[in-house]
């Protein structure tokens, strides 16, 4: 095999359980041999992806001053907008030429975990774009549900209780992040020394889902 596996997860949403073991075996093999895999026939629609892309382009196209209204460096819970050159994943290299929007599981300011000052626990901070908050909060919940479905398939592969991960991902600290890489020639003076891209990816999460915006390759088109 010369490309990442493409796994049809439709059986995970069927009424019966006949297809679960086959999908679990495919995921198990992909994780052991590659560490990554594509999925197809998942419940996240192409319409949803188009809506997210449209809102992302609107947000990242705003003047910097407007985006900084939700400056992530002023958030105690790592929520909001990360300006270009805000992050420097490799201290030995220039800052990263990218801007980001981060959100997570929303907790109101009066939630016990927030009041206790637990890391990464707190309210999300959304830009003042019509329809943004409803769309992104729903997408976060839908992606969390998809992740839990994949984790249940992994429990089948591991031979452990089906709800093993369910009980450990209640009110998760999972992060949904959008990243915009602007053309280097458009970088401002403050970010002119920033690198074009981040270093080799190091994922510290249980499940990392990546959707490259604008990718027209045959594999991405096939997976939706």
């Amino acid at each position: 095999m010369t490309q990442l596996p493409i796994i049809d997860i439709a059986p995970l949403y069927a009424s019966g359980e006949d297809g679960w073991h086959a999908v679990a075996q495919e995921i198990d093999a992909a994780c052991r041999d590659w560490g990554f895999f594509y999925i197809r026939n998942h419940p996240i629609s192409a319409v949803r992806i188009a809506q997210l892309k449209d809102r992302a382009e609107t947000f990242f196209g705003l003047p910097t001053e407007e985006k900084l209204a939700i400056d992530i460096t002023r958030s105690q819970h790592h929520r909001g907008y990360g300006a270009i050159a805000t992050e420097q994943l490799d201290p030995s290299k220039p800052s990263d030429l990218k801007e980001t929007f981060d959100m997570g599981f929303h907790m109101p300011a009066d939630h016990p975990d927030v009041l206790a000052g637990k890391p990464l626990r707190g309210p999300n901070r959304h830009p003042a774009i019509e329809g943004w908050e409803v769309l992104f909060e729903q997408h976060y919940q839908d992606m969390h549900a998809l992740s839990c479905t994949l984790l249940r398939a992994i429990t089948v592969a591991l031979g452990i209780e089906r709800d093993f991960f369910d009980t450990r991902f209640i009110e998760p600290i999972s992060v949904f992040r959008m990243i915009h890489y602007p053309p280097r020639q458009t970088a401002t003076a403050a970010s002119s020394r920033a690198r074009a891209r981040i270093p080799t990816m190091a994922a510290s999460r249980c499940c990392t889902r990546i959707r490259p915006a604008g990718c027209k390759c045959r594999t991405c088109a096939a997976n939706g």
Side-chain angles (χ1 to χ4, degrees):
M1 183 180 295
T2 58
Q3 70 171 34
L4 291 176
I6 303 173
I7 301 175
D8 184 349
I9 66 169
L12 303 183
Y13 295 93
S15 56
E17 300 234 338
D18 295 343
W20 272 76
H21 286 280
V23 174
Q25 289 174 358
E26 288 188 69
I27 292 176
D28 181 69
C31 290
R32 294 177 187 276
D33 297 339
W34 290 88
F36 292 90
F37 57 90
Y38 292 105
I39 58 173
R40 60 182 306 174
N41 291 324
H42 53 74
I44 308 300
S45 70
V47 172
R48 168 69 63 76
I49 298 301
Q51 291 173 331
L52 293 168
K53 183 175 184 293
D54 176 71
R55 299 300 196 287
E57 290 176 349
T58 297
F59 175 67
F60 288 123
L62 292 174
T64 300
E65 294 74 16
E66 291 186 39
K67 291 181 285 189
L68 286 173
I70 53 171
D71 185 357
I72 199 169
T73 64
R74 297 186 177 183
S75 167
Q76 295 180 331
H77 319 294
H78 200 73
R79 304 285 204 275
Y81 170 68
I84 295 173
T86 296
E87 294 186 350
Q88 186 178 12
L89 297 185
D90 186 342
S92 67
K93 302 290 180 61
S95 299
D96 304 326
L97 181 56
K98 69 176 189 292
E99 54 183 342
T100 62
F101 169 80
D102 283 39
M103 62 175 287
F105 182 81
H106 177 79
M107 284 185 171
D110 60 354
H111 189 285
D113 284 358
V114 181
L115 294 174
K118 291 187 177 182
L120 302 179
R121 298 295 198 181
N124 285 320
R125 305 168 74 223
H126 295 287
I129 296 175
E130 183 178 359
W132 175 289
E133 182 172 351
V134 172
L135 173 64
F136 279 76
E137 290 290 345
Q138 184 61 58
H139 185 65
Y140 181 93
Q141 295 296 332
D142 292 344
M143 290 300 294
H144 175 64
L146 170 58
S147 298
C148 287
T149 298
L150 293 174
L151 288 171
R152 292 185 199 109
I154 290 175
T155 66
V156 175
L158 295 175
I160 59 178
E161 296 83 0
R162 184 72 64 88
D163 65 349
F164 179 87
F165 291 113
D166 289 350
T167 58
R168 291 162 173 81
F169 281 83
I170 298 173
E171 298 185 341
I173 60 170
S174 306
V175 173
F176 173 58
R177 158 171 279 202
M178 294 192 306
I179 306 177
H180 174 229
Y181 295 102
R184 178 176 288 275
Q185 62 269 24
T186 66
T188 63
S191 59
S192 60
R193 291 181 295 176
R195 289 183 303 155
R197 293 295 182 263
I198 63 173
T200 301
M201 176 182 167
S204 58
R205 299 165 181 83
C206 185
C207 285
T208 300
R209 283 88 55 204
I210 303 173
R211 171 80 187 193
C215 182
K216 303 298 184 181
C217 74
R218 184 167 59 183
T219 301
C220 286
N223 293 308

